[in-house]
Amino acid sequence: MSSLTTPLQWKTKTEMIYNMLREAIVSGELRPGERIVLRKVASDLGVSAIPVREAVKQLEAEGLVEVSAHSEVTVSKLSEKDFRELSSIRVILEAYATRLTAERITPEILAELQQQIKEMEACVRDNDYRRYGILNRCFHQTIYAHCGNEQLKKIIDDLTIRTDRARALFAYNRGRFKESLREHQAIVQAMAAGKPEVAEKVMAEQKRIALEMFIKYSQGEQTGIEAPNDNT
């Protein structure tokens, strides 16, 4: 698990372990159903078992891992029904937030988004899907942060946490890079041109395509979403 050896600075050991494990899960490096051996995590990072257990508690609270009665930790699965319901809400709210930001766009916001796109272009050239996934989320967070509706942003943040593993699409389908980049460029171009309705439409379509594609790949490769049970 390469993300567990990345030398980053965190405030506490628990925060470090939580962020590294979470990133490994949502990026697709750790697959649903895969076991996380806490002793190995502690050994790899040179820490005691205490911060590892605390980090796992946070991940369990977010629904990203499951802990059995015997304390075995595995990456959790999300039912297709739950994922579709949560994702359909995300599409509507994130498109609306994009429109609000486009209506109040400033040169400073545009410059920030354009810089993020430049960094994503570099990831496409380098085939760096992990960093692209992180930048992709930052791009969207930048848009929503400027929508002018704090409650809307909080709801989107909560939904993102619960469905963030869709970011693993970039690991499952490397060809999604260029398509995603073109969509982001179109969103910023619409904002720059003073066309909030176009930015909203492109964002909605971009989210819909990405989420549907993630469900397709996860079903085909058993990478994160359980198929619905016909008996329920």
Side-chain angles (χ1 to χ4, degrees), residues 66-228:
E66 296 175 349
V67 182
S68 71
H70 302 291
S71 298
E72 182 176 288
V73 180
T74 57
V75 179
S76 65
K77 297 181 180 180
L78 184 68
S79 74
E80 182 181 345
K81 179 178 181 295
D82 289 345
F83 191 84
R84 283 189 179 278
E85 289 177 354
L86 292 169
S87 298
S88 65
I89 298 171
R90 278 189 64 182
V91 169
I92 295 170
L93 295 185
E94 293 185 33
Y96 177 54
T98 300
R99 182 186 182 108
L100 293 179
T101 296
E103 290 174 346
R104 50 192 286 129
I105 198 70
T106 66
E108 291 75 20
I109 298 173
L110 273 176
E112 185 175 1
L113 293 172
Q114 289 166 345
Q115 177 58 38
Q116 290 171 343
I117 284 181
K118 287 182 180 179
E119 293 180 33
M120 285 189 279
E121 289 172 344
C123 290
V124 171
R125 289 194 300 270
D126 299 337
N127 197 32
D128 188 347
Y129 76 90
R130 285 181 59 83
R131 178 161 173 74
Y132 187 93
I134 294 171
L135 289 170
N136 175 70
R137 184 177 180 185
C138 288
F139 176 86
H140 288 273
Q141 287 178 324
T142 298
I143 291 176
Y144 311 145
H146 295 288
C147 73
N149 187 322
E150 188 61 30
Q151 296 306 313
L152 174 60
K153 181 182 177 299
K154 287 180 179 179
I155 295 171
I156 291 174
D157 287 344
D158 178 65
L159 289 170
T160 299
I161 288 173
R162 299 169 68 183
T163 57
D164 199 26
R165 64 184 69 191
R167 180 150 48 94
L169 171 63
F170 298 118
Y172 307 151
N173 180 8
R174 304 296 175 86
R176 177 63 186 153
F177 273 144
K178 294 181 180 179
E179 296 172 12
S180 172
L181 181 60
R182 284 195 294 268
E183 291 157 358
H184 287 105
Q185 291 168 334
I187 290 169
V188 174
Q189 288 168 1
M191 289 183 172
K195 298 179 179 180
E197 70 286 352
V198 175
E200 178 182 30
K201 182 178 179 180
V202 175
M203 177 65 81
E205 185 65 7
Q206 191 258 346
K207 301 301 294 186
R208 185 191 65 77
I209 291 173
L211 293 167
E212 285 294 328
M213 190 176 292
F214 174 70
I215 290 174
K216 172 186 174 183
Y217 275 85
S218 63
Q219 287 176 332
E221 301 183 19
Q222 298 180 350
T223 53
I225 298 180
E226 293 179 307

